[in-house]
Amino acid sequence: MSAPDGLPPIRDVIRMSGLTARKSLGQNFLLDFNLTRRIARAAGPLEGATIVEVGPGPGGLTRALLLEGAARVVAIEKDERCLPALGEIANAYPGRLDIVGVDALQVDYAALDLQRPARIVANLPYSVATPLLVGWLKTEPWPPWFDRLTLMFQREVALRIVAKSGSRDYGRLAVLSQWRTSPRVLLTLAAAAFTPRPKVDSSVVELVPRAAPQPSCNVAALERVTAAAFGQRRKMLRSSLRQITPDTEPLLEQLGIDPKARAEQLEIGDFCRIANALGR
Ligand code: SAM
């Protein structure tokens, strides 16, 4: 029996392509078309939109994005074994699917020069999900070329993205994500939804870029401050920040920040003010 788009079910595509899942590539596939359509709709409205999809694999989510109305999908897949199956989808949707067979970490996304609105939608491979997100969040100039990111992460990473100051999950990823975007968890999928079944559940997170992140600060300087502060998160700021500046105590006092506070007690604006005080 074929799927709602007239193509063979993903389970059959995987079998016919001999796509045994590779752990090193974070291959946990979604086979249920209802689920992939739900994710595609969560990234909507898709009409007229250009979607960059990282890690399409055999194309379950790709097909859902096209069926739900995406004008164009640019699919970036490192595993060459997936390319023939993706080619079949491109044939079924003439002119709407571009397949890029490269490592997504090596792509210069801004240079793709995509028609707007453009956004990224992906069921990300676990091993590179965080570096990919951080790369997108560090896009310059800001606001970026994408109007939204709709991304599936391991649940634990999703919680780190939306964590608030004072919580155990609050760290570098929360500061960078929430300074530049408004993130929220859209839905959570049980591990059983994936084949092969991973050890943990996953969540889809939506990140909408802020037009002008406040307070404004240099992203590289902010990264240096949060790396030092959260790198030794049990230490007081007056010691953890010493690796980037010698006179931490007067600097923090001048900013009205308690030198004895720990990184997780600071708000995002505090990190920006420290970054600004240290200069670039
Ligand atoms: N989108 C499919 C789905 O939802 O069923 C597959 C998602 S699977 C979690 C992750 C996909 O990312 C795999 O197809 C894997 O080959 C691909 N991948 C892993 N590392 C990659 C990289 N560095 N660049 C591009 N694709 C990568």
Side-chain angles (χ1 to χ4, degrees), residues 25-30 53 55-57 76-78 103-104 123 125:
L25 286 169
Q27 291 181 334
N28 301 100
F29 302 123
L30 286 169
E53 187 196 356
I76 302 170
E77 175 56 63
K78 186 176 173 184
D103 183 335
N123 172 12

Side-chain angles (χ1 to χ4, degrees), residues 10 28 32 36 67 78 80 82 96 99 129 141 155 196 216 277:
I10 284 291
N28 301 100
D32 182 347
T36 48
L67 194 65
K78 186 176 173 184
E80 285 182 3
C82 299
R96 290 175 60 195
I99 304 156
R155 176 104 182 114
S216 76

Side-chain angles (χ1 to χ4, degrees), residues 10 22 24-31 36 39 53-62 76-79 81-82 100 102-105 122-128 132 152 194:
I10 284 291
R22 291 194 179 148
S24 60
L25 286 169
Q27 291 181 334
N28 301 100
F29 302 123
L30 286 169
L31 308 186
T36 48
I39 297 167
E53 187 196 356
V54 167
L61 181 56
T62 320
I76 302 170
E77 175 56 63
K78 186 176 173 184
D79 186 352
R81 298 177 307 155
C82 299
V100 187
V102 298
D103 183 335
L105 285 169
N123 172 12
L124 290 173
Y126 292 162
S127 54
V128 290
L132 281 169
M152 173 104 69
F194 300 85

